[in-house]
């Protein structure tokens, strides 16, 4: 549907990012990484929710030492998030981590960067360079008059060039802002200049409600340009919510086809049954469907089956009754209190 940007491909424990591979969903644990059992529990919850890659904060040696035990208990690719201390990056790679998030510009001398790149090559570990509007260098803020898209892109280019100059090319890039317009412009500008696979997100997006809207606008807009190889939704919430939202964004963008998509009408004066409750119940039960399909919940028979003729299955409400339909054709008339059960009997029977 979208002409995807032709990016280079990296592999994270066998999961591809870039090169036209399916867009993956990432999240980050918020447990203390040194608490091995709590972190394993959360990683498993994220994987069960449909997360493809999990990142862990590695702020100190205790966290780095815990990585080996965590690695042994889970299969999902793990990313170590490291700032400033290159020795933590070396420990994380020894512990079997699959990817590093580290900015070479933050870890000191060229020799340290070289050592990290050498170890990453030996371990087959790619590196994500992650530039954030909140941590731009003063000189760039002054040159561009603030954390503009141009300033962010220049910062990202400086980081990737440090690795390129060392012959290390297994690099993906994120360039995040909490502003949706800046996010969109930044990714567009960077994608014009380089072929690194891009990790897309709106940072510090907020709580589940508004943060979901900001993420959908920002990530969706970037993806609609064919840009983006992996996404992370940043919410002030249980990280499982980030995965749910990330997968919903990919589903809405038709970039992930797994499972059912429920569409429902906005209701109007023609509605004669409790379509809001029905839509909620259908969405809840449809969450367990793995087959790709569209299910429509429509308020009336006048417009329902016709408006939702592209749906695989649907309900159109009447007065105390409703019609079940499939591909715009009416299947049968059912009492309101049996509508959802009969709909799922129809779906499961095929
Ligand atoms: Fe109104 Fe029927 Fe359209 Fe729903 S499907 S908004 S009830 S006309």
């Amino acid at each position: 549907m979208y002409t995807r940007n032709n990016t280079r491909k990296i592999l994270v424990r066998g999961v591809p990012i870039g090169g036209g591979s399916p867009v993956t969903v990432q999240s980050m644990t918020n447990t203390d990484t040194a608490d091995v059992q709590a972190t394993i529990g959360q990683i498993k919850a994220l994987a069960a929710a449909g997360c493809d890659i999990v990142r862990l904060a590695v702020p100190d040696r205790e966290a780095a030492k815990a990585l080996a035990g965590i690695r042994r208990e889970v299969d999902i690719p793990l990313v170590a998030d490291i700032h400033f201390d290159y020795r933590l990056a070396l420990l994380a790679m020894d512990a079997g981590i699959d990817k590093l998030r580290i900015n070479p510009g933050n870890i000191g001398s060229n020799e340290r960067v070289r050592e990290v790149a050498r170890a990453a090559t030996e371990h087959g570990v790619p590196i994500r360079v992650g530039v954030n509007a909140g941590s731009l260098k003063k000189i760039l803020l002054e040159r561009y008059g603030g954390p503009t898209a141009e300033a962010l892109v220049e910062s990202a280019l400086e980081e990737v060039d440090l690795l390129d100059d060392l012959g290390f090319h297994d690099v993906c890039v994120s360039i995040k802002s909490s502003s949706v317009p800046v996010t969109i412009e930044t990714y567009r500008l960077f994608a014009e200049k380089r072929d690194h696979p891009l990790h897309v997100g709106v940072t510090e997006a907020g709580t589940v409600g508004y943060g979901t809207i900001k993420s959908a606008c920002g990530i969706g807009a970037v993806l609609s340009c064919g840009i983006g190889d992996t996404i992370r939704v940043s919410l002030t919430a249980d990280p499982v919510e980030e995965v749910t939202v990330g997968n919903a964004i990919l589903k809405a963008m038709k970039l992930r086809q797994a499972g059912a998509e429920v569409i429902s009408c906005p209701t109007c004066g023609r509605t004669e049954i409790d379509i809001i409750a029905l839509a909620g119940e259908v969405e809840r039960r449809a969450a367990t469907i793995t087959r790709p399909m569209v299910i429509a919940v429509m308020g009336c028979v006048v417009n329902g089956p016709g408006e939702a003729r592209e749906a695989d299955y649907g309900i159109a409400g009447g007065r105390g009754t409703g019609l079940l339909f499939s591909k715009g054709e009416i299947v049968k008339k059912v009492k309101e209190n049996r509508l959802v059960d009969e709909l799922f009997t129809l779906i499961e029977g095929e």
Side-chain angles (χ1 to χ4, degrees):
M1 185 164 296
Y2 312 103
T3 306
R4 302 265 310 275
N5 244 28
N6 194 15
T7 52
R8 67 179 80 163
K9 180 155 79 178
I10 63 169
L11 286 175
V12 189
R13 198 177 178 81
V15 173
I17 299 178
S21 310
V23 180
T24 45
V25 171
Q26 306 201 19
S27 185
M28 187 170 183
T29 53
N30 61 8
T31 52
D32 175 359
T33 305
D35 184 341
V36 173
Q37 289 314 316
T39 303
I40 289 170
Q42 194 170 58
I43 292 169
K44 288 183 174 174
L46 290 168
C51 189
D52 299 301
I53 297 168
V54 176
R55 180 159 49 113
L56 305 90
V58 184
D60 50 34
R61 291 179 73 84
E62 283 63 42
K65 278 193 222 153
L67 294 173
I70 295 167
R71 170 71 293 158
R72 274 195 294 277
E73 296 299 319
V74 295
D75 282 334
I76 193 166
L78 298 177
V79 184
D81 188 281
I82 291 161
H83 292 272
F84 309 119
D85 190 343
Y86 79 108
R87 291 165 301 183
L88 295 177
L90 301 177
L91 286 173
M93 287 187 274
D94 286 340
I97 211 79
D98 306 297
K99 183 176 160 207
L100 285 176
R101 186 265 165 129
I102 192 166
N103 287 351
N106 286 345
I107 62 176
S109 67
N110 281 351
E111 188 43 47
R112 290 176 179 180
V113 179
R114 188 172 290 115
E115 203 171 331
V116 169
R118 189 164 46 226
T121 303
E122 272 169 29
H123 288 281
V125 165
I127 294 176
R128 167 159 71 93
V129 161
V131 171
N132 265 24
S135 52
L136 271 186
K137 285 183 197 153
K138 201 167 162 221
I139 189 169
L140 287 174
L141 290 172
E142 284 171 359
R143 187 179 305 155
Y144 290 97
T148 62
E150 290 78 7
L152 285 159
V153 168
E154 183 164 332
S155 176
L157 291 173
E158 282 176 6
E159 298 285 351
V160 298
D161 285 349
L162 280 171
L163 292 169
D164 263 348
D165 290 348
L166 293 171
F168 188 86
H169 306 295
D170 239 6
V171 176
C172 77
V173 176
S174 65
I175 324 171
K176 295 188 186 175
S177 162
S178 62
S179 154
V180 169
V182 172
T183 296
I184 297 166
E185 186 57 15
T186 299
Y187 280 98
R188 280 164 50 104
L189 275 178
F190 188 89
E192 281 173 8
K193 295 181 188 297
R194 298 296 171 91
D195 72 341
H196 296 81
L198 292 174
H199 166 128
V200 180
V202 177
T203 194
E204 299 134 15
T207 54
V208 172
Y210 189 52
T212 296
I213 292 167
K214 279 184 80 171
S215 299
C217 292
I219 295 172
V222 173
L223 290 172
S224 74
C225 301
I227 298 167
D229 302 285
T230 185
I231 66 170
R232 192 260 172 123
V233 173
S234 300
L235 297 178
T236 312
D238 183 328
V240 166
E241 300 273 7
E242 298 185 346
V243 176
T244 305
V245 173
N247 276 303
I249 290 172
L250 293 187
K251 193 188 282 189
M253 298 296 294
K254 303 291 182 199
L255 285 165
R256 183 164 279 197
Q257 297 297 332
E261 179 174 6
V262 177
I263 61 173
S264 53
C265 84
T267 76
C268 73
R270 295 186 187 85
T271 318
E272 293 184 295
I273 61 173
D274 187 355
I275 206 70
I276 297 172
L278 276 174
E281 177 66 4
V282 170
E283 190 167 80
R284 190 184 65 74
R285 288 180 59 171
T288 58
I289 293 173
T290 52
R291 201 158 35 109
M293 66 176 69
V294 176
I295 304 172
V297 182
M298 308 298 282
C300 73
V301 292
V302 179
N303 291 335
E307 283 187 12
R309 71 174 61 83
E310 301 305 325
D312 298 286
Y313 304 97
I315 288 173
R319 180 175 297 175
T321 62
L323 299 177
L324 291 187
F325 59 91
S326 176
K327 298 277 184 203
E329 299 293 324
I330 292 167
V331 176
K332 64 175 169 177
K333 190 172 178 179
V334 181
K335 284 202 170 140
E336 181 176 354
N337 63 357
R338 293 284 310 146
L339 263 173
V340 178
D341 283 342
E342 292 276 350
L343 171 71
F344 281 89
T345 301
L346 175 68
I347 292 170
E348 284 153 17
E350 291 198 357

